[in-house]
């Protein structure tokens, strides 16, 4: 089973969240994958996917704020 090994970017409180709860976040997992906490927009965006993109029944389309991803950029591995 994968474990969270680190947060990518700054904590929600450093991005302006007063409580630090229920905010977008990105984590690196012990198996090399990434976990994303974001807003589920599957129903809204699924019909907008390009013809060469699809999702499995167990997958969801999530969004995170631009700020969240920009803060994580420096922590995303290059390889």
């Amino acid at each position: 089973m994968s474990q969270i090994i680190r947060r990518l970017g700054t904590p929600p409180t450093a991005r302006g969240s007063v409580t630090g709860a229920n905010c977008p976040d990105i984590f690196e997992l012990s198996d090399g994958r990434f976990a994303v906490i974001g807003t589920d927009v599957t129903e809204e965006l699924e019909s907008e996917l390009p013809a060469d993109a699809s999702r499995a029944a167990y997958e969801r389309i999530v969004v995170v704020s631009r700020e969240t991803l920009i803060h994580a950029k420096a922590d995303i591995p290059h390889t």
Side-chain angles (χ1 to χ4, degrees), residues 11-75:
T13 52
R15 290 182 270 123
S17 173
V18 177
T19 65
N22 301 323
C23 292
D25 230 330
I26 303 171
F27 301 95
E28 185 173 0
L29 303 179
S30 58
D31 65 4
R33 296 180 300 163
F34 297 90
V36 177
I37 298 173
T39 303
D40 184 351
V41 293
T42 303
E43 290 184 24
E44 178 184 340
L45 293 181
E46 187 163 31
S47 65
E48 301 293 322
L49 290 174
D52 61 349
S54 63
R55 68 171 188 87
Y58 57 86
E59 296 175 323
R60 308 301 292 165
I61 301 169
V62 300
V63 296
V64 296
S65 68
R66 179 179 183 85
E67 180 182 24
T68 300
L69 193 56
I70 288 171
H71 279 260
K73 182 179 178 181
D75 293 335

